[in-house]
Amino acid sequence: MTLRRRGEKATISIQEHMAIDVCPGPIRPIKQISDYFPRFPRGLPQDAALRTPAPPDAPARPAAASASSRSPSDGARDDDEDVDQLFGAYGSSPGPSPGPSPACPPAKPPEDEPDADGYESDDCTALGTLDFSLLYDQESNALHCTITKAKVPKLMFSRKGLKPMDHNGLADPYVKLHLLPGASKANKLRTKTLHNTLNPTWNETLTYYGITDEDMIRKTLRISVCDEDKFRHNEFIGETRVPLKKLKPNHTKTFSICLEKQLPVDKTEDKSLEERGRILISLKYSSQKQGLLVGIVRCAHLAAMDANGYSDPYVKTYLRPDVDKKSKHKTAVKKKTLNPEFNEEFCYEIKHGDLAKKSLEVTVWDYDIGRSNDFIGGVVLGINAKGERLKHWFDCLKNKDKRIERWHTLTSELPGAVLSD
C-alpha cells in the first residue's frame, strides 16, 4: 500500500490502469475500445437482436432473477454485460447466448441491402444490367439485336479500389457486338454513344447479315458495354454472352441480364478465321431478256486487307468458260468497310440450255491506289460445284423467271480461276 500525504490525490500507475478494472467486484481486465464499437461488415449478426436490452416499459423476462437474490459481484457483471449490449459488443462473452423470450418471436435475419452509394453484394449487379432482345430471321439469314437500355453503376470493378467512370461520376456508354469465335472488326457492330448518363436508353437495332443455321448452332453473341473516352482508351464496363443455339428461328427472345467481368476469348477454337467473308448473290433466268441476271446484293464479315483494319471492296463476276473475254462485270468500290452493300445487277445474254455448261465465278477485291489490288475471296457456282453452291445453281435452272437469293462463304482459293485483276 502506497502512503500519501493529506490532500494529495491518489495516483495509479499506467500498469495498474491497464491491468485492472477499478469498478467494484473482482479484478477483471479492462475492455478495449473496439469491444464497445465492433465492426460488422454487413450489419449485426442474425441473433444480435436477441441480446439487445428491452425497453423500460417491457415486461420482465421469466428467467430473470429478482434484484434481492443477486450478489454484488453478480450485479456488477450484469451491469457490464448491459453496457456491452448497449454498444453492440456482440460475441465477446464466451457464454451461451440467452434464448428468445416467449412473448417476443425470434427476429428474422436482415436481408442484404444496397449501400448508400448504390453498391450491392452481387458482383454482376455492381457492373450494371442490360436489357435487349434477339431475333433470328431464318428466311433472310439475318440476326437482329435490339439494344433497349442499361443501368450502369457509379462504381465499378470491385469493393476495393472502386472508382467513378468519369470525373463527374457519370459515364458515356455505348454497346458493341461481336460474334464468337472470330471476334474482329469484320463482325463488330456498335450503338451510338449516350453522354453523361448511368441509365442509357438506346432502343437501337443492330443486324448481322449472312447468318446461317450452322452459325446459329456453333456461334455465340458477345455483348459488351463500354465507356467512351475522347482522350484515353475507352473503358470496359461489363459484358454478357448468349449462345445463338438458345434462339428459336423467327421468334423474338427478350433478355435482362447482369453484366459480368471481361472473359478471355479462346482463339484455339477460332475456326471462322479461315473464312474470308460472305456474299449474298441473287440468280434469275429471265425469259423476257433471254439471259441470266446476276445480282450482287451485299457482303458481310470481309477480311481486312488495309492497315487501318478495313478494306475498300468491290466485286467482279465472270461466266466461264469465257472464250471472247467479254463476260467481266464489276461493281462500284465501297470505301473503308467490311460489310458493303452493293445492290447491283448484271445481265448475261445466254440461252437457257447453255447454262448447264457454264459456271459463274464471283470474286471480291480490295481496291488500292498505286499498287495491285488485293484478292479477298471468291466463290464459284455451277454444275461442278458442291453443297449450297450447286443447289443455288440448280434451283436457278429449274425455276425460270424466279429470283433466288443465297448466302455463300468466300474462300481464299478458287480452282481454275485466274486471281489477278
Side-chain angles (χ1 to χ4, degrees), residues 346-364:
F346 311 117
C347 179
Y348 291 101
E349 294 183 0
I350 186 174
K351 295 180 180 180
H352 183 267
D354 294 338
L355 282 178
K357 304 174 184 178
K358 297 287 185 175
S359 61
L360 179 67
E361 179 184 305
V362 182
T363 55
V364 183

Side-chain angles (χ1 to χ4, degrees), residues 255-272:
F255 298 85
S256 182
I257 300 181
C258 292
L259 299 175
E260 301 177 286
K261 296 180 181 179
Q262 192 167 14
L263 302 175
V265 178
D266 188 3
K267 296 184 178 180
T268 59
E269 300 179 359
D270 197 352
K271 299 179 181 179
S272 66

Side-chain angles (χ1 to χ4, degrees), residues 79-369:
D79 292 340
D80 190 64
E81 290 179 356
D82 290 341
V83 173
D84 291 344
Q85 294 173 358
L86 179 63
F87 286 93
Y90 176 79
S92 59
S93 175
S97 59
S101 172
C104 300
K108 295 182 179 179
E111 298 180 356
D112 290 345
E113 297 180 355
D115 296 339
D117 56 7
Y119 178 84
E120 292 185 357
S121 59
D122 194 350
D123 290 339
C124 67
T125 306
L127 296 179
T129 59
L130 181 66
D131 295 347
F132 61 95
S133 62
L134 299 177
L135 169 63
Y136 173 53
D137 189 342
Q138 192 174 30
E139 183 177 354
S140 60
N141 294 104
L143 176 64
H144 304 283
C145 180
T146 301
I147 307 297
T148 308
K149 63 181 179 179
K151 290 184 180 180
V152 184
K154 291 183 179 179
L155 305 176
M156 58 175 294
F157 294 122
S158 65
R159 267 183 165 265
K160 296 182 179 180
L162 293 177
K163 61 178 182 179
M165 301 298 299
D166 294 335
H167 294 293
N168 58 3
L170 300 175
D172 303 317
Y174 67 92
V175 179
K176 62 179 180 179
L177 311 180
H178 287 101
L179 283 177
L180 303 177
S184 65
K185 285 187 177 181
N187 60 32
K188 172 186 173 182
L189 299 176
R190 62 162 289 174
T191 66
K192 59 185 177 182
T193 302
L194 301 181
H195 297 281
N196 297 326
T197 178
L198 296 178
N199 298 284
T201 300
W202 289 280
N203 289 324
E204 188 174 345
T205 300
L206 307 175
T207 302
Y208 280 106
Y209 295 97
I211 302 298
T212 63
D213 292 340
E214 181 184 357
D215 293 330
M216 297 299 295
I217 296 176
R218 69 185 186 92
K219 284 189 176 290
T220 298
L221 180 64
R222 176 188 181 189
I223 306 177
S224 307
V225 181
C226 300
D227 173 56
E228 186 177 273
D229 197 323
K230 294 182 178 179
F231 305 103
R232 298 179 298 174
H233 291 293
N234 295 343
E235 293 185 81
F236 174 85
I237 296 178
E239 71 169 37
T240 185
R241 300 186 183 185
V242 180
L244 297 184
K245 61 184 178 181
K246 291 185 176 181
L247 304 180
K248 296 180 180 179
N250 306 316
H251 177 75
T252 301
K253 187 171 184 179
T254 303
F255 298 85
S256 182
I257 300 181
C258 292
L259 299 175
E260 301 177 286
K261 296 180 181 179
Q262 192 167 14
L263 302 175
V265 178
D266 188 3
K267 296 184 178 180
T268 59
E269 300 179 359
D270 197 352
K271 299 179 181 179
S272 66
L273 290 178
E274 301 173 358
E275 299 178 2
R276 309 290 289 180
R278 297 180 184 184
I279 186 170
L280 179 59
I281 303 173
S282 67
L283 297 179
K284 174 185 175 181
Y285 185 82
S286 176
S287 301
Q288 182 180 0
K289 296 183 178 182
Q290 290 293 309
L292 176 66
L293 301 180
V294 179
I296 305 299
V297 183
R298 68 190 309 148
C299 295
H301 321 325
L302 294 180
M305 307 302 292
D306 296 337
N308 60 4
Y310 294 96
S311 295
D312 302 320
Y314 67 93
V315 180
K316 295 192 303 181
T317 63
Y318 293 91
L319 195 60
R320 307 286 190 183
D322 184 17
V323 179
D324 299 331
K325 296 184 178 180
K326 295 182 179 180
S327 67
K328 176 182 175 180
H329 289 285
K330 186 167 71 171
T331 68
V333 177
K334 302 296 180 179
K335 293 289 186 177
K336 196 179 178 181
T337 179
L338 300 176
N339 298 278
E341 189 171 354
F342 298 99
N343 290 320
E344 297 188 34
E345 191 173 69
F346 311 117
C347 179
Y348 291 101
E349 294 183 0
I350 186 174
K351 295 180 180 180
H352 183 267
D354 294 338
L355 282 178
K357 304 174 184 178
K358 297 287 185 175
S359 61
L360 179 67
E361 179 184 305
V362 182
T363 55
V364 183
W365 298 78
D366 170 52
Y367 176 76
D368 289 322
I369 300 177

